[in-house]
Amino acid sequence: MSCLNKIRMALNSFFEKLTMLMIIVMVIVVFAQVFWRYVLHNSLSWSEELAIFLFIPKLVLSILIDLVIIVFACIVLVSGIQLTISTFNQPSAALNISMSWVYAAIPVSMAMMIMNTSYSCIKKLKRGVTMIITILLGVFFVFLVIGVPVSFAIGISSIAAVLYIGDLPLSLIAQRFGTGVESFPLLAIPFFILAGSLMNTGGLAKRLVDFASCLVGFIRGGLAMVNTVANMLMAGISGSSVADAAAVASILIPAMKKRGYDEGFAPAVISAAATIGIIIPPSIPMIIYGVIAGESIGKLFLAGAIPGVLVGLALMVTTYILALLYPDQFPKEQFPSLRVLWENFKKSFLALLMPIFVLGGIIGGVVTPTEAAVVAVVYSLIVGGLVYKEIKWAHFKEIMNETITGTAGTMFLVGTASLFGWLLAYEQIPEMIGQWMQGISSNPFIILLIINIFLLITGTFLDLTAALIILTPVLLPIAVSAGMSPIHFGIMLIMNLAIGLVTPPVGVVLFVCCNIAKVSIGRISRAILPLLAAMVAILLLVTYVPQITMFLPNLLSKL
């Protein structure tokens, strides 16, 4: 092993341990704040700022790692150019043509592709749209098409627009990036990710699945319904659809295949049910939306409860109808005895209590969402480590790596999308889109339908977090002008983007279940169509019947 490799590995190990230590310190600091407030009747006024300052180095580290990747790509590019130059005098065997023309074809063709795509975007843009918008959206979509990660596509297009404007200071880039992530409520994200990892490792997920199996497993197609009930229960813990999908799929997909379920339907129904994870509270996307829109995260959590349950019921009804139509593919399990039901209830009781602590604390005003997330971490650690005794010291490195990776990717995307969204507002895009929609129709029913169709299409190719940050400032004023409250719109927006999690080509949850089930994306995409239809039906019901979403928040306001 070379000296350079040894240094690189030592640095990686150091930064990994440092990041783990910062997460642990953040958990202790925020949990101490809750303890001091309610046990010692005092306040740690410095705790929130300290938690934010501890988080910033971790974010900077993630950016530095990404920059190292970019430097590596540049080195390879320079190497390729050098190779092209060095082969200038090297003729081909048959035609005696310089081989440098072969190597030069790749960068030339890519340059032509970018030019042609940019020109096409400019032609399609409406008259009156400025060159800044052309650069912002054109560069973004070009980079997205050629496979650049969405966070870098957003960041590069934003920087290009700032440079073109000219009179904006370059410090604006760092300022908007920092402003996007400098929020105490956003600290709930790494803690909920950590709580989800602890839950899965600590055996809470398995016990919830076993309890759900006792509740609905005896119905025809019941094992398929078990995953829906399990996801509804787990949704009150992790706040992440990807985490819920991974936990349930690893348990139920092998069991469903063994019982004779279609190999495409098993991961399809688990993918669809996993979307409930960001609709039923707590929800990481709701936290992000609440910060952007300036709305109460507690009210958003309440507003998502009934729609999330309706999505779950719709998926179960659809599954039951399919089971009646194809009984050979949907077996039913034995009816559990009261003893078995009671035993599984007792085993899952502590896991079932977690949503009560998390949501009850937020809704009751006892803790903030960030503090509630830390309470979830401590609770998962105690239950999984001390009660169930399934979390071992050997698991902590993997748990922390999952937390660091998930948090770094999310927060880097939040920062770049924050700059992108600010530039859209700078160019008055929300007003332009609002005028365009009002030109089509002034009917609120039609306007909301257009928004839903736009969001369903957007969700198929744009990452959920990026879409949430970019589209909230654009579409929220339009929805409010159509008579929709910001809380109601937030739930509608998240439900749309949740459907995008299970629709190709960027259906993250779909790909997670595909990898676990070892089936093709085409097979699972066909099987999920009836379930998608059920989800869209509930989306439209929630859109046009605001009482479904606003009942619980309004009830809380009256208390």
Side-chain angles (χ1 to χ4, degrees):
M1 184 182 295
S2 67
C3 181
L4 184 61
N5 280 336
K6 289 181 180 179
I7 294 173
R8 180 181 59 82
M9 291 179 65
L11 286 173
N12 285 341
S13 177
F14 170 75
F15 284 125
E16 182 182 87
K17 289 180 174 61
L18 179 62
T19 307
M20 291 179 183
L21 178 62
M22 285 190 291
I23 290 177
I24 293 169
V25 173
M26 283 192 293
V27 170
I28 294 172
V29 167
V30 179
F31 188 75
Q33 176 175 278
V34 179
F35 181 81
W36 249 257
R37 185 190 308 148
Y38 293 104
V39 178
L40 303 182
H41 304 290
N42 203 339
S43 176
L44 297 177
S45 58
W46 45 265
S47 60
E48 289 190 9
E49 288 188 9
L50 178 60
I52 291 173
F53 285 132
L54 285 170
F55 180 73
I56 290 173
K58 179 162 69 70
L59 180 63
V60 172
L61 174 61
S62 70
I63 297 171
L64 288 175
I65 292 172
D66 290 329
L67 289 176
V68 169
I69 297 172
I70 294 174
V71 170
F72 172 78
C74 291
I75 292 172
V76 174
L77 176 63
V78 171
S79 176
I81 294 173
Q82 290 176 344
L83 179 62
T84 303
I85 295 172
S86 66
T87 56
F88 182 77
N89 295 322
Q90 180 181 336
S92 62
L95 298 177
N96 201 30
I97 298 175
S98 173
M99 290 297 295
S100 63
W101 291 105
V102 176
Y103 296 110
I106 296 176
V108 170
S109 63
M110 291 305 297
M112 291 178 62
M113 179 188 295
I114 293 173
M115 290 172 58
N116 290 336
T117 308
S118 301
Y119 179 69
S120 176
C121 290
I122 294 171
K123 285 178 61 179
K124 292 177 182 177
L125 288 171
K126 292 179 62 178
R127 184 180 178 184
V129 177
T130 66
M131 181 56 70
I132 299 170
I133 302 303
T134 304
I135 293 172
L136 191 63
L137 299 181
V139 173
F140 169 65
F141 282 110
V142 168
F143 276 97
L144 204 62
V145 166
I146 64 177
V148 175
V150 64
S151 54
F152 285 103
I154 292 172
I156 293 170
S157 60
S158 300
I159 292 172
V162 170
L163 293 175
Y164 179 83
I165 293 171
D167 58 353
L168 292 176
L170 289 179
S171 60
L172 174 74
I173 297 170
Q175 180 189 30
R176 297 311 308 177
F177 189 100
T179 303
V181 299
E182 189 183 4
S183 171
F184 185 69
L186 288 180
L187 283 178
I189 294 175
F191 297 140
F192 274 124
I193 294 174
L194 179 55
S197 296
L198 290 169
M199 176 194 70
N200 294 337
T201 306
L204 280 74
K206 184 179 184 305
R207 286 166 174 80
L208 290 175
V209 171
D210 291 342
F211 179 59
S213 182
C214 289
L215 294 178
V216 295
F218 59 89
I219 306 171
R220 181 164 296 281
L223 199 55
M225 298 183 193
V226 165
N227 92 86
T228 302
V229 176
N231 274 287
M232 292 168 70
L233 296 173
M234 291 171 60
I237 300 175
S238 71
S240 167
S241 291
V242 176
D244 291 352
V248 175
S250 59
I251 298 171
L252 282 181
I253 285 180
M256 291 179 70
K257 284 186 175 181
K258 186 177 180 180
R259 295 287 289 124
Y261 282 85
D262 179 78
E263 65 175 11
F265 182 79
V269 71
I270 291 174
S271 299
T275 62
I276 302 172
I278 61 170
I279 303 173
I280 291 180
S283 163
I284 291 175
M286 286 183 192
I287 294 170
I288 296 173
Y289 174 83
V291 171
I292 298 169
E295 295 295 325
S296 165
I297 295 173
K299 287 185 177 180
L300 284 165
F301 281 2
L302 278 175
I306 295 177
V309 171
L310 288 177
V311 171
L313 292 175
L315 293 175
M316 293 173 69
V317 170
T318 305
T319 300
Y320 186 66
I321 293 173
L322 292 172
L324 294 178
L325 294 174
Y326 309 101
D328 295 341
Q329 299 179 22
F330 291 83
K332 61 180 180 179
E333 312 304 314
Q334 292 183 346
F335 192 89
S337 65
L338 289 177
R339 179 177 171 277
V340 172
L341 180 62
W342 175 247
E343 287 296 324
N344 279 282
F345 173 74
K346 286 195 299 183
K347 290 178 181 178
S348 62
F349 179 70
L350 292 175
L352 293 170
L353 280 182
M354 183 185 285
I356 298 175
F357 286 132
V358 173
L359 299 181
I362 296 172
I363 294 166
V366 178
V367 291
T368 66
T370 302
E371 293 169 347
V374 171
V375 170
V377 170
V378 175
Y379 186 87
S380 299
L381 193 58
I382 293 172
V383 173
L386 300 181
V387 180
Y388 296 156
K389 298 182 179 179
E390 294 193 22
I391 299 178
K392 309 298 181 184
W393 283 111
H395 295 144
F396 276 100
K397 182 175 182 180
E398 183 179 352
I399 290 171
M400 286 298 183
N401 282 337
E402 287 181 8
T403 304
I404 294 167
T405 303
T407 303
T410 300
M411 298 308 292
F412 184 72
L413 190 53
V414 168
T416 55
S418 175
L419 174 61
F420 191 95
W422 184 88
L423 288 167
L424 289 177
Y426 180 84
E427 286 301 303
Q428 300 181 331
I429 293 297
E431 291 82 355
M432 293 169 57
I433 294 178
Q435 293 172 2
W436 173 74
M437 286 189 177
Q438 290 173 354
I440 295 176
S441 174
S442 59
N443 188 330
F445 184 94
I446 301 298
I447 291 175
L448 295 180
L449 181 63
I450 293 172
I451 292 175
N452 274 314
I453 293 172
F454 172 73
L455 288 172
L456 287 172
I457 295 172
T458 302
T460 62
F461 66 87
L462 192 57
D463 178 86
L464 183 147
T465 303
L468 197 63
I469 297 170
I470 293 170
L471 298 179
T472 295
V474 174
L475 298 178
L476 178 56
I478 301 170
V480 171
S481 69
M484 180 176 274
S485 76
I487 297 291
H488 184 193
F489 171 73
I491 302 304
M492 185 191 83
L493 172 62
I494 289 168
M495 289 182 70
N496 269 287
L497 298 178
I499 294 173
L501 292 174
V502 290
T503 50
V506 192
V508 179
V509 171
L510 204 65
F511 284 104
V512 168
C513 291
C514 275
N515 290 335
I516 295 174
K518 307 299 182 187
V519 296
S520 68
I521 192 69
R523 184 72 178 270
I524 190 174
S525 297
R526 290 190 296 271
I528 205 172
L529 289 177
L531 303 171
L532 285 177
M535 295 170 69
V536 171
I538 298 300
L539 168 65
L540 294 176
L541 182 66
V542 169
T543 299
Y544 294 113
V545 185
Q547 291 81 2
I548 294 174
T549 302
M550 300 305 299
F551 174 74
L552 291 179
N554 290 339
L555 183 64
L556 179 66
S557 300
K558 293 177 182 178
L559 296 177

